[in-house]
Amino acid sequence: MKHMRFHPDARRLHTAVSAWGDEPLDWRYKGLPSRWWGRTPAAVCADRVRPFDEDAVGPLCVLDAAALDHNLTTMARWCRDHGVELAPHGKTHMAPQLLARQFDAGACAVTVATISQVRTFRAFGVEGFVLANELVDDAGLRWLASELDANPNVDLVCWVDSVRGVESMTATLADAGATRPVEVCVEVGMAGGRTGCRSADDVDAVARAAAASERLRLVGVAGYEAATADPPETVRAYLGQMRAAVVRLAGLVESDEILVTAGGSSYFDLVVEELTGWPADLAVRTVLRSGCYLTHDDGLYGRSSPLAGPGGLRAALSVWAQVVSRPEPGLALLTMGRRDVSFDAGLPVPYGLSDAEVTALNDQHAYLRVGPADRERVDVGSWLRFGVSHPCTTFDKWQVIPLLDDDGRVVDLVRTFF
């Protein structure tokens, strides 16, 4: 038996992402000024230019450097103070540059949702992964087996939530000739939720099957407490089921410590309350998987994060758009739509206006209702800034995002890989 080794080597990641600084920019990256074409990100950042002084075209997504640094520090301190670790969800941004910052702040691994996301971060030298799904893709398993066997420093844990899944994974790994077992957590689900075992009996049966497999290694219990929009008392009850599973399965776990992992970006405070403070004879490692804390937002997580409010996390991601039409006194149309900003968990939030609201989005337009107090400020040609709700689905619409200092100058150009 051994301890799990999530041990990120941020130096390798920093070295890998630094190559992006020498790749010339071009027309592929929407919103960026055309005068940057042919220049490298390193050269643009060295000049500390302001995108709109350089003729950026709208819309343009930007990151706030000070807010980003504040959020990194705030979440890292919170985790240390509560005795838990953080494997932030990389699907939020899919940006190795931002993951490097998270590793620098103390993250123990990266969480991913798919084997393709594993391969992306692996290409940048990342070694510690939490794959928050059961992996039954034959091609993905064969690639993973090869990667684990060839790279002893790579650590990955994924989920199992069915005996059939255990059997399928075991057969594929055996057929691939894998020599290293794949580490797994049995996933506890909730009624009406997403994946995961729906009963204690199912949890125990899947755990026994995983422990008996020669190609898998049972290391703990996993779950996702925000799988449904349930009230806190329901979340607590679900986390109580996870806690009970940890205690029941302690004798089956094939590691010197039990991994228990949960924690999205809305209820990580409840995770800490329910999944820490273990009996002295249980060595348990609690790992959160929150991802949206990094940029926070002005919508979903601005309302629901345990670290929302004064002194807490700050919104660091926004989109600038231009007023293109004022067809009616109370209506403005902007050059920002579903192709540019998230809308799945709330519409964009205007900054600097007291009586205005985005009411709808088309593919390339936003409908802004404008009250009397703001009508003189919202004219054709005006640039307006908008906060987002749910950063994940804004990030995936942008390949390059300028990171700006307090003076609006570019200090980095963040490349995403969706």
Side-chain angles (χ1 to χ4, degrees), residues 26-49:
D26 59 28
W27 51 267
R28 290 175 294 173
Y29 307 123
K30 68 179 182 181
L32 301 187
S34 59
R35 66 178 66 186
W36 292 2
W37 296 355
R39 304 187 67 200
T40 66
V44 171
C45 295
D47 288 346
R48 288 292 196 269
V49 293

Side-chain angles (χ1 to χ4, degrees), residues 207-277:
R208 288 193 297 270
S213 170
E214 294 182 354
R215 305 291 174 168
L216 304 179
R217 182 169 175 263
L218 180 65
V219 297
V221 173
Y224 179 52
E225 76 289 346
T228 61
D230 285 324
E233 56 269 23
T234 304
V235 173
R236 286 186 186 278
Y238 167 71
L239 293 170
Q241 295 171 18
M242 286 189 63
R243 186 180 186 91
V246 170
V247 174
R248 286 198 317 274
L249 301 179
L252 284 176
V253 169
E254 304 168 85
S255 174
D256 292 335
E257 59 187 354
I258 304 167
L259 172 64
V260 59
T261 173
S265 296
S266 294
Y267 296 110
F268 53 81
D269 57 335
L270 301 186
V271 172
V272 166
E273 291 177 19
E274 300 297 328
L275 297 181
T276 59

Side-chain angles (χ1 to χ4, degrees), residues 77-196:
R77 181 174 60 247
W78 192 91
C79 290
R80 287 195 303 270
D81 290 347
H82 290 83
V84 296
E85 296 177 82
L86 177 63
H89 213 315
K91 61 92 176 171
T92 294
H93 51 69
M94 286 304 294
Q97 290 157 276
L98 297 182
L99 180 60
R101 290 170 177 253
Q102 291 173 306
F103 281 172
D104 289 343
C108 66
V110 62
T111 296
V112 291
T114 68
I115 194 67
S116 289
Q117 292 172 3
V118 175
R119 296 196 302 184
T120 296
F121 285 120
R122 188 70 198 106
F124 286 85
V126 177
E127 295 179 334
F129 296 91
V130 176
L131 173 53
N133 266 311
E134 185 171 60
L135 180 58
V136 293
D137 180 285
D138 286 350
L141 277 167
R142 287 194 294 270
W143 175 85
L144 177 60
S146 174
E147 195 70 14
L148 292 176
D149 286 348
N151 299 279
N153 288 331
V154 172
D155 293 312
L156 180 143
V157 60
C158 65
W159 300 172
V160 286
D161 76 349
S162 67
V163 172
R164 174 65 185 129
V166 169
E167 293 170 347
S168 176
M169 293 176 70
T170 300
T172 300
L173 292 168
D175 184 64
T179 59
R180 276 183 67 185
V182 173
E183 296 185 338
V184 297
C185 287
V186 60
E187 183 186 6
V188 178
M190 62 172 70
R194 206 160 61 189
T195 52

Side-chain angles (χ1 to χ4, degrees), residues 277-297:
W278 299 93
D281 60 342
L282 282 184
V284 180
R285 183 180 188 180
T286 302
V287 176
L288 304 182
R289 305 193 307 273
S290 313
C292 294
Y293 78 91
L294 181 62
T295 61
H296 197 49
D297 71 12

